[in-house]
């Protein structure tokens, strides 16, 4: 698989766009914790080397790149809570987080490159969805990195309150330790009770 590049951004710049933000979310799959999104406008003169889908990078490399991005790019991070995930659904909650991240960029972007196949309905800025965008577009890859780092920190913090679930390591994903703790200890306020694995564990016969 090739690495993401700056081609989409360059094509948009050739059409007059100047402030192009990559947007991505993390945390749709875990059983616990908020869903996070980030929006990043890269400085064309200071694009960090090695940007890639956050899942393709080591934790150490993600931290290094996130530090560079916070220093050299315009970065915004937002979340949607477990309560919002439950009230809406995980897709709409992820879109809410994206909308909030975009809205917090100041000055505002004039175009968005959004990971996935949908543009969130609350976004009025011109936008293009990019399927597998974090592997194709460095702006989206940058957003995936900073959102991942931020969400991981949140889950490590929550793990201090609920150490039995292993969130400092599994970040809320359904590992053996996490599922076992759910079965033995039940649900915390940070669990997504509507998610089928949580519901099944808690209400099995």
């Amino acid at each position: 698989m090739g690495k993401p590049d700056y081609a989409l951004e360059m094509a948009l710049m050739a059409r007059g766009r100047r402030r192009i933000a990559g947007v991505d979310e993390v945390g749709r799959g875990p059983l616990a914790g908020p869903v996070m999104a980030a929006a990043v406008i890269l400085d064309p003169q200071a694009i960090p080397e090695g940007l890639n889908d956050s899942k393709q990078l080591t934790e150490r490399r993600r931290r290094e790149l996130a530090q560079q991005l916070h220093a050299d790019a315009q970065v915004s991070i937002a979340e949607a809570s477990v309560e919002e995930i439950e009230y809406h659904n995980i897709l709409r909650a992820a879109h809410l987080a994206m909308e909030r991240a975009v809205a917090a960029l100041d000055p505002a972007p004039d175009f968005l490159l959004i990971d996935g196949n949908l543009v969130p309905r609350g976004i009025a800025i011109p936008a293009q969805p990019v399927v597998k965008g974090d592997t194709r577009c460095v702006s989206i890859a940058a957003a995936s990195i900073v959102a991942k780092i931020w969400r991981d920190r949140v889950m490590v913090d929550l793990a201090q309150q609920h150490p039995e679930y292993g969130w400092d390591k599994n970040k809320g994903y359904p590992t053996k330790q996490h599922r076992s703790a759910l079965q033995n200890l039940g649900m915390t306020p940070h669990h997504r009770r509507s998610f089928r694995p949580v519901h099944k564990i808690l209400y099995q016969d």
Side-chain angles (χ1 to χ4, degrees):
M1 181 183 296
K3 292 186 177 180
D5 58 33
Y6 203 56
L8 286 172
E9 292 91 337
M10 290 177 66
L12 288 163
M13 288 178 179
R15 287 156 42 194
R17 301 295 183 180
R18 288 294 174 264
R19 297 182 50 74
I20 302 157
V23 185
D24 199 5
E25 53 74 26
V26 297
R28 280 175 62 174
L31 306 183
V35 61
M36 298 280 188
V40 176
I41 301 175
L42 293 171
D43 178 349
Q45 307 304 317
I47 299 175
E49 290 286 336
L51 289 175
N52 203 345
D53 171 12
S54 63
K55 296 183 290 295
Q56 304 298 319
L57 301 168
T58 64
E59 184 175 353
R60 178 179 177 179
R61 188 64 181 132
R62 282 196 297 268
R63 286 199 303 266
E64 293 169 347
L65 286 167
Q67 188 173 10
Q68 287 181 262
L69 289 164
H70 282 286
D72 295 331
Q74 188 181 350
V75 175
S76 173
I77 305 167
E79 69 174 58
S81 67
V82 169
E83 291 77 15
E84 289 173 312
I85 293 169
E86 298 296 277
Y87 181 79
H88 300 284
N89 55 59
I90 186 58
L91 177 61
R92 180 61 192 139
H95 282 185
L96 281 172
M98 287 181 171
E99 292 167 13
R100 290 166 182 164
V102 170
L105 287 173
D106 185 18
D110 61 10
F111 199 91
L112 307 175
L113 293 167
I114 300 176
D115 186 57
N117 61 358
L118 296 170
V119 173
R121 64 176 184 246
I123 286 177
I125 296 167
Q128 174 184 339
V130 184
V131 175
K132 298 189 183 300
D134 45 11
T135 66
R136 296 173 54 194
C137 166
V138 287
S139 295
I140 295 176
S144 81
I145 291 166
V146 294
K148 168 72 172 163
I149 287 289
W150 194 266
R151 188 180 187 280
D152 284 358
R153 287 175 181 164
V154 167
M155 295 310 296
V156 169
D157 288 345
L158 291 177
Q160 308 311 305
Q161 304 169 32
H162 305 280
E164 302 86 357
Y165 298 85
W167 293 339
D168 53 324
K169 297 182 179 66
N170 62 49
K171 308 304 187 290
Y173 284 89
T175 61
K176 183 177 180 180
Q177 178 186 3
H178 191 178
R179 295 172 69 90
S180 176
L182 258 177
Q183 289 175 321
N184 294 325
L185 301 173
M187 188 176 61
T188 73
H190 308 291
H191 277 101
R192 304 171 181 179
R193 68 173 63 229
S194 64
F195 273 39
R196 185 172 298 172
V198 179
H199 192 275
K200 185 176 181 181
I201 288 169
L202 292 175
Y203 301 105
Q204 61 187 344
D205 293 329

